[in-house]
Amino acid sequence: MIRYGGLAVLISALVIVVLLPFATSFVESWSRRDVDLRSQLVFNAARAQIEDAWARGDAAALEALFGRIATDARIAAIGLCEDGALTLATGGMPAGFGCDAAPADGAAGPRPVALDGETALVTAHLLSAPGEGDARLVLLHDLAFIEERAGETRMALVLALVGVGFGGAALASALSIIVLSRWRHSVRQAIEDVREGRSEDDTPSDTQIGEEIKSALGELELARRQIDTVHTIWNPDTLQVALANELPGSEVIVVSNREPYIHNRKEDGTIQVQRPASGLVSALEPVTRACGGTWIAHGSGSADREAVDEHDRVGVPPSKPSYTLRRLWLSDEEQDGYYYGFANEGLWPLCHIAFVRPIFRESDWRFYRSVNERFAEAVVAEAKRPDPIVLIQDYHLALAPRMIRDRLPSATIITFWHIPWPNSETFGICPWREEIVDGMLGSSILGFHTQFHCNNFLDTVDRFMESRIDRESDSISLAGHETFVRPYPISIDWPPAALEGQAPVPETRVTVRERLGLAPDIKLGVGIERFDYTKGILDRMRGVDALLDAFPEWKGRFCFAQVAAPTRAKLASYRNLQAEAEELAAEINARHGADGWEPIKLLARHHEPDEVFELFRASDLCIVSSLHDGMNLVAKEFVASRDDEQGVLVLSAFAGASRELSEALIVNPYDAYEMGRVIHRALTMDAAEQRERMKVMREQVEARNVYRWAGQMLLDAARLRKKERIMRLIEAKERRSGRPNERRRKPAA
Ligand code: F6P
């Protein structure tokens, strides 16, 4: 600023120095022309009278005329030269003036003469002489006015240039202040807005915005890389910091069908708070605890209504509330159509390759749609800002993203699909396939466990929707809205809360064996899940059967405990499975059992997380034999429970977890013979190999825990918000300038 002002003053001074001599000489020559003109005018005006008086020889008349002319302030003296001699002159004529100083001809212009040490200008005009003699009227001009005029001009010039200099300096300073402050403001504003996702009308230039996009995205990419590399251990604190840094002030709303805490009235009349046997809940609950916010879910417990306030809200976890559970009530009819019907008889078997035929009913579909509407309305009711981050969970709520998008266009909607996504041909049998996909494409980000499921989804969209798919960025544009499809392998809390208070492994081995009525030295295998036909419960029993057939030496020395929590028991397919499992276990036990020993123990009841961990820690191996599963967190929970680095994981190749836990013994659950051999391999694996494998798997689960899962989605959401914010700014600017950038326009679907 000072620099600009000083420069302007310096330039002005230089201009003054250069221009002053020119200005002076210009004024002088202009004044001489003025003198000449004036002299001519005076002469022309008085000529006739002068010539007349002179012809008459009337000296008195001439003197009077001269006297009148000399009253002009600029005429110092006037005289008459006859034949080179001054014959008549007014009083102001210097004594030393001689007619030879006068120009010979009046047309010759004024001539400067030095008189008595001073310079004067002399003009002369020929009189028409009656005789042959030479007579000239001589005018002596006062030069003071020229000096005065030159001085005034110089002064005016100096003042003008000084004024211009200072004015220019002031203007330059003012302009630079304005430009600088607007630039600073716009940069600060853009950064703030990008960070906080605020909306605003004042737009920086395209260049600045381009730079902003680059630096904002660069910053975020860097942050993500740093968080991934530096903070190899993700935990609630890392997640909170990532949220506070990248999404400051944002509101998080989780939406799922299953609630994280269920209040049930027991037979003795007391209320018990239960944690449901749900992979979704075990993953998301610690994350929500870390992020805070609101979790909207179906209130399914028998005492749920008693626990909430007048807005159907209750603070959870009950021991130390850190977020709000907002319960949504569903009628039996709604549950039958939406949950049991469309979600679990239609979409569940459709997405899992478990060879159970999906059932689609028009009435179920109507309930599915209307219940999704109710969840969407609940999100709008709970949202305190127009742009919350909404985390929608699972196949129960496929339509909700679009419904929320319609009501809260600025929301960042992350939908996570917890089950597999089948290939497009399989998905194509769903009568409402377009509606389902369209609903999901209301999301900003759509997450699956594996890249394979992402690819299946992209292929499905390609096959059934009029949209633009960008395979490089894995994004889908539909009706001007872009959805990013990404793999986020879900995981578990680390260190797991259920590990707290666990007895040492040797002690647990004894306790559990006693409880199960097993000999102290018996080898124990466990399987723990819900009674679901996708879990391969029957198949692993057949594997145990095959083991005992192929390796009878394990009879009396090995027992497989299958914990299975009854689930969706309203559905025939689930009831049948439980009956079938009980039948198969009884049949195998009858065939191989002897002397009070039975190879299979079926424990068909819900186990709380600490009981599950106790069983894991007491076992020698764990079988996770899903026929098809998005992730199957049981595998990760088993690994997490084994801080003694012992135990073998037998894992299905068709569970998402097998992509990450490659140190497990990977099996094909459809091949009972192979399963039997692998169980034998597990039972005979030495402690050192068990340690090697378990160590690697534990490091994997620790580093890729559920905070990382959530953190990556939230960081991607933050990046998206910045990008969307910048795009909005550019579009607003283009709208104002009336020059929409056609190249950036997305083709309409
Ligand atoms: O993967 C689907 C899923 O939602 C899991 O997260 C969870 O373990 C299971 O289904 C629970 O199902 P529900 O809520 O019907 O008991």
Side-chain angles (χ1 to χ4, degrees):
M1 223 157 46
I2 292 173
R3 222 174 38 220
Y4 293 136
L7 195 67
V9 170
L10 187 71
I11 291 171
S12 301
L14 281 174
V15 171
I16 290 169
V17 169
V18 172
L19 281 190
L20 268 188
F22 286 107
T24 308
S25 88
F26 169 77
V27 170
E28 278 175 7
S29 73
W30 166 42
S31 300
R32 278 182 199 195
R33 279 200 308 278
D34 209 11
V35 164
D36 195 23
L37 199 66
R38 191 175 199 92
S39 168
Q40 198 65 49
L41 274 172
V42 169
F43 176 64
N44 288 344
R47 178 176 190 168
Q49 287 171 290
I50 292 170
E51 283 181 343
D52 183 45
W54 179 57
R56 283 189 280 108
D58 189 345
L62 277 174
E63 218 170 308
L65 264 173
F66 283 10
R68 276 208 302 280
I69 292 169
T71 55
D72 187 318
R74 294 206 191 154
I75 295 177
I78 183 166
L80 182 66
C81 286
E82 290 177 283
D83 295 329
L86 186 69
T87 54
L88 188 67
T90 56
M93 187 65 79
F97 178 82
C99 286
D100 51 342
D105 181 355
R111 174 193 286 180
V113 290
L115 291 170
D116 302 339
E118 303 237 349
T119 305
L121 273 184
V122 181
T123 53
H125 304 274
L126 279 176
L127 296 171
S128 301
E132 290 185 356
D134 165 58
R136 277 175 290 162
L137 184 72
V138 179
L139 295 165
L140 205 66
H141 300 271
D142 186 357
L143 287 187
F145 92 95
I146 296 181
E147 265 309 304
E148 231 170 72
R149 183 184 275 181
E152 279 169 8
T153 305
R154 276 195 300 270
M155 180 58 71
L157 188 71
V158 169
L159 285 178
L161 284 172
V162 167
V164 166
F166 278 106
L171 199 66
S173 303
L175 277 176
S176 58
I177 288 169
I178 292 168
V179 169
L180 270 174
S181 73
R182 291 190 78 182
W183 181 79
R184 272 200 212 113
H185 173 77
S186 64
V187 170
R188 212 179 302 127
Q189 191 65 50
I191 292 168
E192 291 262 305
D193 290 346
V194 160
R195 221 176 243 158
E196 296 189 9
R198 277 200 312 263
S199 135
E200 129 97 55
D201 269 331
D202 193 18
T203 316
S205 76
D206 282 5
T207 321
Q208 287 165 9
I209 288 169
E211 287 307 310
E212 273 301 301
I213 292 174
K214 274 194 222 141
S215 80
L217 295 185
E219 256 175 45
L220 195 65
E221 201 41 61
L222 187 70
R224 180 179 169 155
R225 276 203 304 272
Q226 278 176 346
I227 286 171
D228 258 7
T229 53
V230 179
H231 304 281
T232 43
I233 307 291
W234 273 84
N235 56 36
D237 294 338
T238 329
L239 185 62
Q240 274 167 359
V241 168
L243 196 66
N245 282 350
E246 301 304 331
L247 292 160
S250 30
E251 180 187 11
V252 176
I253 301 178
V254 177
V255 195
S256 73
N257 171 72
R258 184 61 63 198
E259 58 181 341
Y261 293 91
I262 306 177
H263 288 81
N264 275 326
R265 185 162 297 283
K266 292 205 294 186
E267 276 176 12
D268 64 5
T270 57
I271 292 178
Q272 181 191 40
V273 182
Q274 209 186 37
R275 293 279 302 277
S278 160
L280 178 156
V281 168
S282 44
L284 220 63
E285 206 281 333
V287 168
T288 317
R289 234 185 290 155
C291 298
T294 303
W295 185 328
I296 302 171
H298 168 218
S300 57
S302 52
D304 270 357
R305 285 181 193 263
E306 295 164 56
V308 295
D309 65 12
E310 70 273 27
H311 303 292
D312 300 326
R313 298 182 189 134
V314 55
V316 287
S319 52
K320 194 180 170 206
S322 58
Y323 64 95
T324 303
L325 171 60
R326 156 74 203 278
R327 285 178 171 146
L328 194 115
W329 314 114
L330 298 179
S331 67
D332 288 349
E333 221 186 1
E334 283 176 320
Q335 283 188 66
D336 286 348
Y338 141 81
Y339 174 76
Y340 289 109
F342 196 78
N344 286 316
E345 282 193 292
L347 289 179
W348 180 269
L350 177 74
C351 291
H352 289 92
I353 308 167
F355 308 102
V356 171
R357 192 184 193 283
I359 300 169
F360 293 109
R361 302 182 194 89
E362 169 72 30
S363 57
D364 290 348
W365 169 246
R366 279 203 302 273
F367 278 116
Y368 186 81
R369 229 177 20 211
S370 64
V371 171
N372 270 252
E373 288 271 4
R374 295 197 48 208
F375 273 97
E377 277 156 15
V379 169
V380 177
E382 291 300 318
K384 296 175 192 76
R385 309 171 40 128
D387 60 349
I389 297 174
V390 186
L391 303 173
I392 300 179
Q393 307 303 312
D394 234 348
Y395 61 99
H396 312 89
L397 300 169
L399 303 180
R402 167 77 58 219
M403 293 166 172
I404 296 169
R405 168 79 49 223
D406 290 345
R407 291 161 168 86
L408 295 172
S410 309
T412 300
I413 303 173
I414 307 175
T415 301
F416 191 78
W417 197 257
H418 289 254
I419 62 177
W421 189 271
N423 65 43
S424 59
E425 200 176 8
T426 304
F427 191 77
I429 67 173
C430 174
W432 297 282
R433 61 196 180 197
E434 285 90 358
E435 287 90 333
I436 299 272
V437 169
D438 177 75
M440 293 169 78
L441 291 179
S443 315
S444 318
I445 298 174
L446 190 49
F448 296 92
H449 293 295
T450 65
Q451 185 62 50
F452 188 64
H453 298 150
C454 293
N455 295 346
N456 278 350
F457 182 79
L458 290 167
D459 291 345
T460 306
V461 174
D462 202 7
R463 190 161 173 166
F464 299 115
M465 306 295 286
E466 286 285 323
S467 62
R468 189 168 66 94
I469 298 179
D470 184 335
R471 295 271 175 179
E472 271 198 14
S473 63
D474 280 343
S475 72
I476 300 161
S477 297
L478 180 67
H481 172 74
E482 195 170 20
T483 302
F484 290 87
V485 181
R486 295 274 182 278
Y488 301 103
I490 203 168
S491 195
I492 56 166
D493 192 4
W494 189 279
L499 202 54
E500 240 174 73
Q502 289 286 339
V505 167
E507 203 181 300
T508 307
R509 289 178 70 90
V510 174
T511 322
V512 168
R513 278 167 181 73
E514 274 175 13
R515 191 184 310 139
L516 294 177
L518 303 173
D521 58 345
I522 212 155
K523 293 268 189 184
L524 180 63
V526 293
I528 302 182
E529 45 261 304
R530 295 176 302 110
F531 244 131
D532 194 297
Y533 52 77
T534 62
K535 303 296 178 189
I537 294 172
L538 300 180
D539 304 85
R540 77 188 61 153
M541 289 185 189
R542 290 187 193 111
V544 171
D545 188 16
L547 166 84
L548 298 173
D549 282 342
F551 304 94
E553 66 268 30
W554 288 111
K555 288 188 181 181
R557 292 173 55 218
F558 171 69
C559 176
F560 179 69
Q562 175 64 55
V563 169
T567 181
R568 306 174 190 166
K570 257 195 171 180
L571 301 180
S573 50
Y574 284 80
R575 281 196 309 275
N576 295 345
L577 171 72
Q578 189 166 345
E580 252 186 276
E582 280 161 4
E583 218 172 280
L584 183 60
E587 195 264 310
I588 294 171
N589 285 342
R591 202 149 27 83
H592 296 288
D595 306 326
W597 168 81
E598 287 185 334
I600 295 175
K601 285 214 176 288
L602 196 53
L603 309 167
R605 71 162 176 87
H606 172 80
H607 282 53
E608 286 296 322
D610 53 334
E611 289 181 273
V612 170
F613 266 54
E614 190 187 39
L615 260 178
F616 281 150
R617 287 163 67 78
S619 68
D620 297 283
L621 64 96
C622 172
I623 305 178
V624 178
S625 57
S626 317
L627 303 179
H628 195 198
D629 213 323
M631 176 53 70
N632 212 323
L633 290 180
V634 170
K636 294 188 176 182
E637 282 171 346
F638 173 66
V639 168
S641 75
R642 299 311 298 258
D643 54 0
D644 62 334
E645 296 176 348
Q646 290 296 293
V648 183
L649 176 63
V650 177
L651 178 58
S652 163
F654 310 122
S658 67
R659 308 284 197 288
E660 294 179 86
L661 303 177
S662 44
E663 285 69 29
L665 298 182
I666 307 294
V667 290
N668 174 359
Y670 289 90
D671 185 344
Y673 177 72
E674 187 210 352
M675 282 249 275
R677 297 185 67 81
V678 170
I679 296 171
H680 173 72
R681 163 105 172 81
L683 289 170
T684 52
M685 190 183 287
D686 64 43
E689 187 180 347
Q690 288 186 37
R691 175 158 293 113
E692 280 290 294
R693 288 174 180 267
M694 188 54 84
K695 214 164 142 37
V696 177
M697 289 193 288
R698 284 176 63 77
E699 281 166 8
Q700 169 83 6
V701 178
E702 179 177 14
R704 297 168 72 100
N705 61 36
V706 75
Y707 301 106
R708 178 181 182 271
W709 171 75
Q712 291 206 318
M713 284 194 291
L714 292 173
L715 287 181
D716 284 349
R719 188 157 60 153
L720 199 64
R721 271 164 105 104
K722 285 187 182 182
K723 201 174 140 191
E724 283 173 355
R725 159 82 189 129
I726 292 164
M727 293 307 286
R728 277 203 303 277
L729 288 174
I730 294 172
E731 276 167 17
K733 186 176 171 55
E734 284 174 354
R735 265 201 310 279
R736 277 209 304 273
S737 68
R739 285 183 292 105
N741 183 343
E742 291 304 329
R743 275 172 306 158
R744 207 174 28 251
R745 283 281 138 87
K746 298 188 182 82

